[in-house]
Amino acid sequence: MALQATPYKVSLDISDMDRGVYETVKVTVARHPSETELRLVARIIAYAIFYHEHLAFGRGLSDTDEAALWQLSLDGQIEHWIDVGQPDADRITKSSRRAPQMSVLAYGNTRIWAEKLLPKVNDLKQVRILALPEPEHAELASQIGRNIHWGVMVTDGVLYVSDGDSQVELTLQELKAAQ
């Protein structure tokens, strides 16, 4: 018998000063049985960072042809493809051909991955790559429950994630800017 995805109820109060986005959103996020807490948290953070009213979670791990998140136009065209983790150069190149905007939110030890990857994707103008700081990301992942209510404030590339009891500051590292 196949393992079922675990649903997480997520409520985000997003205040993105950098983009002028102020929204309260409630979503249910399915966690694949093989997905770690770190990846789940990275997907939720990516949702907050790149929030748009047409942004949706893809099937991710269960369908490798889909993004972790994507923004679709009203006619179903992919406008923004968002991956989390450390995708290889071939996946980034292929994904960047499917959407006018492509972003990666990397996590984990990204130094060696970035050194190998960046020369291969540097000419892809629509690709933006951000990295989460490891200790703060791990701290958030260790605190999640099945019901998540976060206040997420973004200002000057820094995320402040608060759950009412504590706050974690995540300084995003921009490894590659879109041109």
Side-chain angles (χ1 to χ4, degrees):
M1 185 166 106
L3 296 173
Q4 297 293 316
T6 305
Y8 284 72
K9 301 286 186 188
V10 179
S11 176
L12 299 174
D13 298 319
I14 303 169
S15 298
D16 189 334
M17 316 282 196
D18 295 346
R19 296 187 305 139
V21 174
Y22 306 94
E23 292 288 337
T24 297
V25 293
K26 293 182 181 197
V27 294
T28 300
V29 181
R31 179 178 170 200
H32 191 274
S34 66
E35 184 174 32
T36 65
E37 285 90 1
L38 287 171
R39 187 171 191 284
L40 175 67
V41 166
R43 287 195 303 136
I44 295 168
I45 291 172
Y47 188 85
I49 293 170
F50 300 109
Y51 177 76
H52 183 277
E53 64 182 328
H54 298 136
L55 187 64
F57 289 94
R59 288 185 287 227
L61 291 175
S62 64
D63 188 341
T64 57
D65 266 355
E66 284 194 15
L69 299 110
W70 48 17
Q71 178 184 320
L72 301 174
S73 66
L74 294 176
D75 64 354
Q77 299 297 311
I78 302 169
E79 296 178 328
H80 191 177
W81 181 291
I82 303 164
D83 267 335
V84 297
Q86 298 180 10
D88 61 26
D90 290 340
R91 179 170 173 87
I92 291 173
T93 301
K94 181 180 175 186
S95 303
S96 70
R97 291 181 184 145
R98 296 182 66 186
Q101 191 177 10
M102 195 276 176
S103 300
V104 175
L105 183 62
Y107 65 90
N109 186 351
T110 59
R111 187 183 59 80
I112 294 171
W113 169 78
E115 287 173 3
K116 291 179 181 179
L117 176 85
L118 292 177
K120 297 176 184 176
V121 299
N122 206 31
D123 61 329
L124 300 173
K125 296 187 185 320
Q126 72 274 35
V127 173
R128 179 178 186 203
I129 302 175
L130 302 171
L132 289 170
E134 276 188 273
E136 294 84 356
H137 179 214
E139 182 181 343
L140 272 179
S142 70
Q143 298 172 3
I144 64 165
R146 296 278 301 278
N147 291 302
I148 299 168
H149 187 145
W150 285 347
V152 180
M153 185 174 76
V154 182
T155 183
D156 295 328
V158 179
L159 269 74
Y160 300 91
V161 180
S162 172
D163 66 0
D165 295 327
S166 63
Q167 178 173 290
V168 177
E169 180 180 324
L170 298 105
T171 302
L172 297 172
Q173 180 183 10
E174 188 155 29
L175 301 176
K176 182 189 178 309
Q179 301 165 1

